[in-house]
C-alpha cells in the first residue's frame, strides 16, 4: 500500500531540474511589470502625490484609488477594513497608494523613485500597551481588534469569588510574564502575481496558499460574480502562512493594473519590499497567575494574552482564538480563566504564521511550568507528570480527551531518547562542579505540548469543503482539490491517500494544479488540515468514484479499478466520471462559538521536545547542541516528508527562539534584509532526531492527523528551559539574542 511508504515527491524532479515555472519564470507576451508607491510614515493623511516632471509619465500605466469601483476599496477577509489603495487617511508605513506599470522593469524602478507622497502626520500607536488618548483611537472605542474569553469551572462568569478563593487557599501562587517577538516568514520565493484578461475573465496566477481566498477577494473588490475570475496557483517556494491572506492584496493590485493597461501585468516583490511590507508573526505578551497545591497539582490558571494585531484586522481574531485555546497547555486543570485581546497598533498588519498563535501561548505555558517547578522545588518532569491530561479529563474548552494517547509515556520516551537524567547531571557537574569550565555552560530542557488539527470550532462546517476525484478514459485518476503544495508535499500525500483508497499504484494518480476553473473549493491550505480533513475527503471521493464505476469499496475482494474506469468510459462516451467527497461534521463533535466551549478540534497532535544548549559567557551566544523531537501525529503517511516537516519546523523554532529579531522602527521592519535579519544556517543547527508515535485518529485518512504546525510549538520553550537550566536564571523573552542575554545576566 502507498500510505506509510516513502514514495518520492511527485513534484520533486520538476523542482530539482528547474522545469517548475514559478511566477517570476512565467513568460507572457506583452507583459508589463508593476510596482507600488507607499506611505512614508506610520499614520497620517495624504496631502498630495508628486510625480517628477523629468519622467515621461505617458509611457506608464498609473492606478490610484480613483480607479477603484465606488464603495469597494477594501481587501475582504474577516472584515473589510483594509483599503487596497489609500485614498486619504492611512494607518501604517508602506501602505500602497499608487500602482505603476511599464514594459521595462528598469524604467519602472526609476519611476518608483521619482514619486513622492506628501502627508500630514497623525499621532500613532506603536505599542499595544501604549496608553490611549482620544486622538489615538482608530478601531471602536478601545482599539481592540478582537477580545475573547475561555472560562472553565470556577473561572466561569459569576464565580469570581470561588475563583479567587482557590488562589487564597493555594499552597503556591506563581506568576510570570512571557514575551515573544515578531517573526519573518523568509520563504524562499517572495510574493508574486501576474494578471491578464482571457475569454472575458480576469485570470490571476501566482504564489499563494489559498486560491479561493483570492477569488473571493477579487469578487468582492470588483463587485462581480466568482465566475468572472480564474485563479491559478503557480509552484510556490514556501509559504508558512505568509501566503494565506497577503496574496489577495497583490492579486487585486495586479488585476487593477492589468485592466487599466489592457495587457498582462506582473508584480513580484524583491526581498526588501517583501520583508518590509508584508505580514509577520504576531508579537505577544502572556501573563500567567497559577494556583498550585502542595503536591504540585494545578488548581487554577488565570491567563492574560495580548497580541499586537497591527493596523488592520486581517486574521488577528482567529490567530488570537487558536492562541487562547492552547494557552493552558496539555494539562488537566479544572479552573481556568483565559482572556485574550488583539490590539491595533500603527504597524504593518500581522498575519498568519505557522502555528497561528499557539507558539506564542505555548512558549508561555511551557516556560511557566518550569518556573513553577523551580519555585516550588519540584522537578519539571514530575510537575508535568502530575498534571498532563489523561483520557477522560478535559482541556481548557471542556473538550474531553479520548484519543488514547498516553502523554506521560510520550514525555518519558522523549527524555529517554535524549538521555535527559544523565545529561542533566553531566551538565550540572560541568557548570558548577570542581572541574567547571571557565566560560562555557550547558543545559538541557524540554517542553510538552499539543496542537489542534483543522479549523477551530465550527470553521470546517462553515467551509463545507469539497474534493473531487475524476477517473479518466485511460484508466488514470486525478485528484481535484484547491489544496496547494508549497514545498510540504501536499501533492504527494494526497496521491498516496487516493492510491491506497482505490487500490491502485500511486503512479496512476495525479493531483491537479489548483485552478478555480477546474477544482472545487476544498478550503485553504492552512491550519494543519490538509492531511487530516482534506485527506479524509479524498477517501470519500474515491469511494464515490468506485461506486459509480460499478465496483464496491471492499478491499478484500479482488478488483480492477483502472479497468472499471475504462469500461465506464467505453459505455458512457463523452461523459465525466467524478467521485465527490464533501465535509460533514461528525455528529458527536460539538462547539459553541459564543461561549468557546466544546470540541475545539476534532483531533490533536501531541509532542515532547528536548533541547540541549551551550552558552558562551564571553559572547553570550547560545548554541543548540542536540535536539530530540518525539510526537504523536496519528498515522504517518510518508515518513520522509513527515520527518522533513518536523525538522523544518524545529529549525524555524530555533530561529524564533535565538536569532530572528524583527527590529521595528516607526511600525515597520527596520532590518528588512537577509544581511541583518539573522536566520539559522546549517552550521548553527544541531542534529534533529525525530521520533513518531502513531495513534490513528478516526477523523483522518487511515488515521492521519495534522503535522505541519506542531513542530513550531515546542522548540522555543524547550531551548529557553535549557538555557535556564544552564545558567540558573529565568529568561522569559524571545528571541534570546546575545544582547538580551547579556542584559539579563548583568541585571542579576
Amino acid at each position: 500500500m502507498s500510505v506509510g511508504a516513502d514514495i518520492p515527491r511527485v513534484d520533486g524532479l520538476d523542482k530539482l531540474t528547474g522545469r517548475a515555472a514559478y511566477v517570476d519564470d512565467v513568460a507572457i507576451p506583452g507583459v508589463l511589470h508593476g510596482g507600488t508607491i507607499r506611505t512614508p510614515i506610520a499614520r497620517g493623511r495624504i496631502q498630495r502625490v508628486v510625480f517628477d516632471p523629468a519622467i515621461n509619465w505617458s509611457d506608464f500605466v498609473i492606478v490610484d484609488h480613483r480607479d477603484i469601483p465606488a464603495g469597494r476599496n477594501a481587501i475582504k477577509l474577516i472584515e473589510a477594513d483594509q483599503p487596497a489603495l489609500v485614498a486619504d487617511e492611512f494607518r501604517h508605513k508602506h501602505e500602497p497608494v499608487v500602482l505603476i506599470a511599464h514594459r521595462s522593469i528598469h524604467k519602472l524602478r526609476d519611476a518608483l523613485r521619482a514619486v513622492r507622497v506628501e502627508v500630514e502626520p497623525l499621532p500613532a500607536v506603536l505599542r499595544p500597551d501604549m496608553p490611549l488618548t482620544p486622538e489615538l483611537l482608530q478601531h471602536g472605542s478601545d482599539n481592540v481588534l478582537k477580545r475573547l474569553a475561555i472560562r472553565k469551572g470556577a473561572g466561569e462568569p459569576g464565580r469570581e469569588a470561588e475563583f479567587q478563593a482557590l488562589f487564597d487557599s493555594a499552597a503556591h501562587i506563581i506568576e510570570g510574564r512571557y514575551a515573544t517577538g515578531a517573526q519573518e516568514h523568509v520563504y524562499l520565493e517572495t510574493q508574486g502575481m501576474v494578471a491578464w484578461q482571457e475569454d472575458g475573465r480576469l485570470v490571476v496566477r501566482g504564489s499563494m496558499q489559498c486560491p479561493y481566498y483570492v477569488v473571493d477577494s477579487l469578487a468582492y473588490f470588483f463587485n462581480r460574480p466568482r465566475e468572472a475570475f480564474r485563479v491559478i496557483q503557480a509552484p510556490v517556494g514556501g509559504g508558512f502562512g505568509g501566503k494565506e491572506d497577503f496574496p489577495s492584496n497583490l492579486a487585486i493590485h495586479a488585476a487593477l493594473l492589468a485592466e487599466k493597461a489592457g495587457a498582462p501585468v506582473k508584480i513580484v516583490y524583491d526581498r526588501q519590499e517583501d520583508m518590509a511590507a508584508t505580514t509577520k508573526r504576531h508579537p505577544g505578551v502572556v501573563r500567567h497567575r497559577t494556583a498550585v497545591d502542595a503536591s504540585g497539582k494545578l488548581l487554577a490558571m488565570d491567563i492574560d494574552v495580548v497580541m499586537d494585531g497591527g493596523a488592520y484586522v486581517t486574521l488577528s481574531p482567529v490567530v488570537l482564538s487558536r492562541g487562547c485555546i492552547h494557552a493552558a497547555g496539555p494539562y488537566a486543570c479544572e479552573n481556568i480563566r483565559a482572556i485574550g485581546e488583539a490590539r491595533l497598533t500603527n504597524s504593518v498588519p500581522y498575519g498568519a504564521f505557522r502555528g497561528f498563535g499557539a507558539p506564542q501561548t505555548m512558549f508561555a505555558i511551557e516556560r511557566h511550568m518550569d518556573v513553577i517547578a523551580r519555585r516550588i522545588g519540584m522537578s519539571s518532569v514530575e510537575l508535568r507528570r502530575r498534571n498532563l491530561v489523561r483520557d477522560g479529563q478535559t482541556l481548557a474548552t471542556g473538550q474531553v480527551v479520548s484519543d488514547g494517547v498516553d502523554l506521560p509515556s510520550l514525555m518519558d520516551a522523549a527524555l529517554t531518547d535524549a538521555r535527559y537524567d544523565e545529561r542533566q547531571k553531566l551538565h550540572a557537574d560541568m557548570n558548577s562542579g570542581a572541574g567547571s569550565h571557565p566560560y562555557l555552560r550547558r543545559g538541557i530542557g524540554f517542553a510538552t505540548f499539543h496542537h489542534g488539527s483543522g479549523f477551530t470550532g465550527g470553521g470546517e462546517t462553515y467551509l463545507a469543503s469539497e474534493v473531487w476525484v475524476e477517473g479518466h478514459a485511460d484508466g488514470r485518476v486525478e485528484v481535484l482539490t484547491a489544496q496547494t503544495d508549497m514545498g510540504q508535499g501536499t501533492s504527494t500525500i494526497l496521491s498516496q491517500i487516493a492510491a491506497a483508497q482505490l487500490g491502485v499504484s500511486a503512479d496512476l494518480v495525479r493531483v491537479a494544479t489548483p485552478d478555480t476553473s477546474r477544482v472545487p473549493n476544498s478550503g485553504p491550505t492552512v491550519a494543519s488540515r490538509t492531511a487530516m480533513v482534506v485527506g479524509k475527503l479524498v477517501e470519500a471521493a474515491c469511494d464515490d468514484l468506485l461506486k459509480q464505476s460499478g465496483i464496491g469499496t471492499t478491499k478484500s475482494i479482488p478488483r480492477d479499478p483502472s479497468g472499471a474506469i475504462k469500461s465506464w468510459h467505453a459505455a458512457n462516451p463523452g461523459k465525466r466520471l467524478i467521485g465527490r467527497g464533501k465535509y460533514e461534521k461528525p455528529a458527536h463533535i460539538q462547539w459553541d462559538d459564543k461561549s468557546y466551549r466544546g470540541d475545539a478540534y476534532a483531533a490533536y497532535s501531541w509532542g515532547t521536545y528536548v533541547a540541549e544548549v551551550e552558552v558562551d559567557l564571553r559572547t553570550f551566544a547560545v548554541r543548540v547542541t542536540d535536539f530530540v523531537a518525539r510526537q504523536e501525529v496519528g498515522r504517518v503517511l510518508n515518513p520522509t516528508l513527515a520527518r522533513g516537516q518536523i525538522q523544518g519546523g524545529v529549525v524555524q523554532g530555533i530561529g524564533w527562539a535565538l536569532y530572528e529579531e524583527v527590529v521595528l522602527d516607526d511600525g515597520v521592519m527596520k532590518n528588512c534584509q537577509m544581511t541583518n535579519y539573522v536566520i539559522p544556517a546549517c552550521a548553527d543547527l544541531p542534529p534533529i532526531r525525530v521520533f513518531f508515535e502513531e495513534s490513528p485518529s478516526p477523523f483522518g485518512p487511515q488515521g492521519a492527523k495534522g503535522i505541519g504546525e506542531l513542530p513550531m510549538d515546542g522548540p522555543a520553550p524547550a531551548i529557553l528551559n535549557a538555557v535556564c537550566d544552564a545558567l540558573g536564571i529565568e529568561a522569559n523573552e524571545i528571541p534570546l539574542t546575545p544582547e538580551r542575554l547579556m542584559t539579563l545576566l548583568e541585571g542579576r
Side-chain angles (χ1 to χ4, degrees), residues 74 85 94 101 104 116 121 137 212 257 269 486 488 507 516 569 639 650 659 744:
L85 293 173
H94 296 330
S104 164
R116 186 177 74 255
L137 292 177
Y212 274 92
L257 282 169
Y269 287 174
M486 47 192 149
Q488 81 280 43
D507 58 12
T516 57
H569 277 284
V650 169
Y659 302 105
L744 194 61

Side-chain angles (χ1 to χ4, degrees), residues 316-547:
S316 291
V318 281
V319 171
L320 179 71
S321 169
R322 187 175 285 262
C324 287
I325 287 171
H326 289 77
Y331 301 109
C333 179
E334 293 306 313
N335 305 287
I336 296 173
R337 180 172 64 191
I339 308 295
E341 287 186 353
R343 296 179 186 168
L344 177 147
T345 61
N346 292 109
S347 300
V348 175
Y350 295 97
F353 201 127
R354 190 178 200 171
F356 216 70
Q360 292 93 316
T361 56
M362 204 60 73
F363 170 75
I365 181 62
E366 284 307 291
R367 269 297 300 132
H368 192 58
M369 289 298 283
D370 264 36
V371 170
I372 292 174
R374 187 177 182 205
R375 292 190 191 173
I376 69 173
M378 179 179 287
S379 83
S380 55
V381 176
E382 185 57 31
L383 178 70
R384 286 175 173 84
R385 191 187 312 286
R386 296 184 184 191
N387 290 285
L388 282 168
V389 71
R390 270 78 165 178
D391 264 17
Q393 295 180 318
T394 58
L395 295 168
T397 64
Q399 180 168 7
V400 178
V401 173
S402 59
D403 62 5
V405 178
D406 184 339
L407 296 186
S409 293
L410 183 74
M411 176 182 70
D412 289 341
L415 297 176
T416 300
D417 298 331
R419 296 160 51 206
Y420 180 82
D421 291 338
E422 175 191 343
R423 303 296 291 174
Q424 190 176 49
K425 185 175 183 311
L426 280 173
H427 295 333
D429 290 343
M430 173 182 166
N431 295 338
S432 58
S436 64
H437 196 279
Y439 54 83
L440 294 180
R441 297 291 181 268
R442 290 176 183 161
I444 187 167
F446 70 100
T448 53
F449 54 99
H450 65 318
H451 199 97
S453 303
F455 262 43
T456 303
E460 293 295 344
T461 304
Y462 171 78
L463 287 173
S465 298
E466 193 171 357
V467 169
W468 299 346
V469 174
E470 182 165 8
H472 291 287
D474 61 359
R476 293 178 180 272
V477 172
E478 184 177 27
V479 177
L480 297 154
T481 167
Q483 297 301 289
T484 57
D485 195 322
M486 47 192 149
Q488 81 280 43
T490 293
S491 299
T492 304
I493 64 162
L494 293 185
S495 66
Q496 287 183 267
I497 293 166
Q501 193 68 8
L502 293 169
V504 302
S505 168
D507 58 12
L508 286 178
V509 180
R510 75 180 186 94
V511 178
T513 297
D515 175 343
T516 57
S517 72
R518 288 200 70 226
V519 304
N521 186 357
S522 41
T525 312
V526 301
S528 298
R529 65 185 297 274
T530 297
M532 189 180 88
V533 178
V534 179
K536 194 71 173 176
L537 297 181
V538 170
E539 285 190 341
C542 288
D543 287 347
D544 188 38
L545 180 70
L546 290 171
K547 184 178 177 182

Side-chain angles (χ1 to χ4, degrees), residues 164-279:
Q164 183 57 43
L166 289 167
F167 285 88
D168 293 341
S169 61
H172 309 280
I173 300 174
I174 312 297
E175 299 186 40
R177 176 189 182 275
Y178 308 92
T180 56
Q183 188 179 21
E184 162 63 30
H185 300 89
V186 201
Y187 26 65
L188 286 173
E189 179 204 26
T190 58
Q191 302 270 356
M193 206 71 69
V194 58
W196 69 93
Q197 290 282 349
E198 183 177 285
D199 299 328
R201 282 192 297 193
L202 190 65
V203 182
V204 172
R205 185 174 189 270
S207 188
M208 67 186 81
Q209 294 178 224
C210 314
Y212 274 92
Y213 277 11
V214 177
V215 163
D216 288 341
S217 291
L218 288 166
Y220 176 85
F221 183 83
F222 287 98
N223 196 19
R224 299 172 195 165
R226 262 185 176 180
E227 294 71 28
F229 304 95
R230 178 185 176 193
V231 175
I232 309 167
Q233 183 223 3
V236 175
F240 312 116
K243 292 171 183 173
E244 177 175 351
D245 50 326
F246 195 84
S248 295
N249 304 34
L250 203 54
I252 286 171
H253 290 170
L256 277 168
L257 282 169
E259 286 221 324
K260 189 160 186 179
V265 173
K266 179 194 293 185
I267 304 177
V268 178
Y269 287 174
D270 64 21
R271 181 63 67 182
Q272 187 167 349
E273 182 176 26
D274 195 294
M275 293 175 81
T278 67
T279 57

